[in-house]
Amino acid sequence: MKTQVAIIGGGPSGLLLSQLLHVRGITSVVLERRTQAYVLSRIRAGVLEQGLVDLMREAGVADRMEREGYPHTGTILAVDGESFRIDFTQATDKPVMVYGQTEVTRDLYAAREAAGGRIEYEVEDVVIDAHGPSVSYTVGGEPRRVECDFIAGCDGFHGVSRKTIPEDVRQEFEKVYPFGWLGILSETPPVNHELIYATSEAGFALCSMRNETLSRYYIQCDMSERVEDWSDDAFWAELKRRLPKEHGDALVTGPSIEKSIAPLRSFVCEPMQWGKLFLCGDAAHIVPPTGAKGLNTAASDVHYLYNALRRFYEDGDSAGIDGYSETALARVWKAERFSWWFTSLMHRFPDQSRFDAKMQRAELDFLRTSPEAQAALAINYVGLPY
Ligand code: FAS
Ligand code: PHB
């Protein structure tokens, strides 16, 4: 098979890139290890930056998001039972869009199929030749091969793309946090119309949502804990304990329809390109989900790579291609910093000293009382410019 861009991974990064390229008449093929149903079954991000909303519009897949998504202009922070609101409009004219990653991915799959896009599912044995360039793989044991001009490695943290960059070329930066997030999805009305990020002696909690009848909640948990250790009742009781009384009392509980524990880590691979291979999204970097930057930083990578490829094919200009890694990493590191900062501020660290706890409370008190500190949080949360 021949194509202009071979894309490894059919998650949001790979699908968004494929659809954007299609709109500009650039051919691609998406190679996905799982089935579409499996990809859509993973419950992940819930908050989209304006940049990703704009990319969805540019890709022609924004209609359902515009109808069913919820623009949010602020978020609630709750500290030891007292809450205050961060008003995004005080510092920026950009809202965030509450619309699940599952729905983004569903819309992108529908658009690729409507356009006759080539997506191969259940691919195995992927081997990348970043200098050919070409990709060989098998489907049902049958060997296949794609000749291409460029390869986009959109295959997530556990994919093969990053590992294709030789170890003596690759530099990896990592921080593993001593806790995880236990998340549930429940068919209950959200406890509040805006997200609540809560911290207290008992630890971190987050109240989010997907729509008026579908709520997403998280509580910080030890990495030694397993999902089966947590009954729904135990989860609801602990969540209530970590929320201000007015929200805990308003909480509508119900059976979980999804329950999982996600580990928290910060990770960056440099460079994000090697030969004709370009890494996008979780293949190149991971953030703790506190700042809602995972999916959104994948989107900015896609923005940079899509525009670099468009300039190459339309203008013969390879500046974007040559500078992709440097350009993408400049924004990746700022998203890493914000995610690390917000995670460090809002979580109880098992080994933290009494002094560390005082520093957290002093910074939270400064945040509560300083419009400038709130503005700094807001402009990072809604998304720094591409
Ligand atoms: P993805 O991992 O989504 O997609 C990669 C795709 O590549 C997958 O479909 C995989 O099957 C495929 N693949 C892997 N290896 C392959 C191979 N060898 N060959 C072919 N295909 C291969 N972000 C937030 O902003 N907020 C959150 O709350 C949040 N929660 C998360 C919870 C969990 C458990 C995880 C793991 C991540 C979470 N994230 C969150 C981050 C998440 O949203 C990612 O940023 C987002 O999925 C990135 O998209 P992709 O880069 O497309 O990677
Ligand atoms: C979610 O709705 O899943 C979500 C929202 C905000 C975050 C993390 C996760 O910071």
Side-chain angles (χ1 to χ4, degrees), residues 203-224:
F204 172 83
L206 170 60
C207 302
S208 184
M209 73 247 357
R210 293 294 179 268
N211 58 48
E212 283 113 348
T213 59
L214 194 59
S215 297
R216 180 72 166 156
Y217 294 106
Y218 298 94
I219 57 172
Q220 166 185 352
C221 64
D222 293 334
M223 274 326 291
S224 58

Side-chain angles (χ1 to χ4, degrees), residues 76-79 179 196-200 203-205 220 290 340-349 360-361 364 367:
I76 304 295
L77 263 60
V79 181
F179 40 74
I196 302 173
Y197 289 85
T199 187
S200 67
F204 172 83
Q220 166 185 352
T290 320
W340 158 80
W341 170 79
F342 203 20
T343 301
S344 305
L345 182 63
M346 296 298 284
H347 289 73
R348 267 185 55 71
F349 285 68
Q360 283 180 324
R361 287 302 175 278
L364 285 162
L367 189 57

Side-chain angles (χ1 to χ4, degrees), residues 34-176:
R34 303 286 189 171
T35 63
Q36 182 180 132
Y38 182 94
V39 174
L40 291 173
S41 70
R42 295 184 302 221
I43 306 300
R44 295 213 175 142
V47 172
L48 313 186
E49 292 177 358
Q50 188 62 46
L52 175 48
V53 169
D54 293 344
L55 281 173
M56 296 275 283
R57 288 184 182 132
E58 188 172 354
V61 297
D63 291 351
R64 191 163 73 99
M65 176 188 63
E66 307 275 20
R67 285 198 313 274
E68 299 177 12
Y70 298 81
H72 278 205
T73 59
T75 189
I76 304 295
L77 263 60
V79 181
D80 301 330
E82 299 296 321
S83 52
F84 60 97
R85 183 171 184 266
I86 304 286
D87 179 353
F88 302 149
T89 64
Q90 293 302 307
T92 167
D93 59 354
K94 295 190 291 186
V96 293
M97 177 73 83
V98 171
Y99 188 68
Q101 172 174 324
T102 303
E103 306 319 314
V104 169
T105 310
R106 196 190 313 278
D107 295 340
L108 286 165
Y109 268 124
R112 296 307 303 123
E113 287 173 349
R118 281 184 296 180
I119 304 177
E120 299 229 34
Y121 297 101
E122 298 184 283
V123 307
E124 295 179 306
D125 313 312
V126 171
V127 175
I128 294 165
D129 171 0
H131 298 282
S134 68
V135 181
S136 57
Y137 59 99
T138 63
V139 175
E142 179 203 334
R144 297 185 184 176
R145 180 183 164 83
V146 181
E147 307 282 341
C148 50
D149 299 333
F150 300 100
I151 303 165
C154 303
D155 49 350
F157 186 65
H158 301 291
V160 298
S161 297
R162 182 175 69 253
K163 297 167 191 143
T164 301
I165 302 178
E167 283 190 8
D168 61 348
V169 173
R170 225 180 329 139
Q171 280 197 83
E172 296 188 348
F173 306 84
E174 184 169 48
K175 179 182 182 67
V176 177

Side-chain angles (χ1 to χ4, degrees), residues 275-298:
K276 301 291 189 185
L277 171 64
F278 299 82
L279 305 183
C280 282
D282 280 17
H285 42 72
I286 295 287
V287 286
T290 320
K293 291 291 159 242
L295 175 61
N296 290 302
T297 310

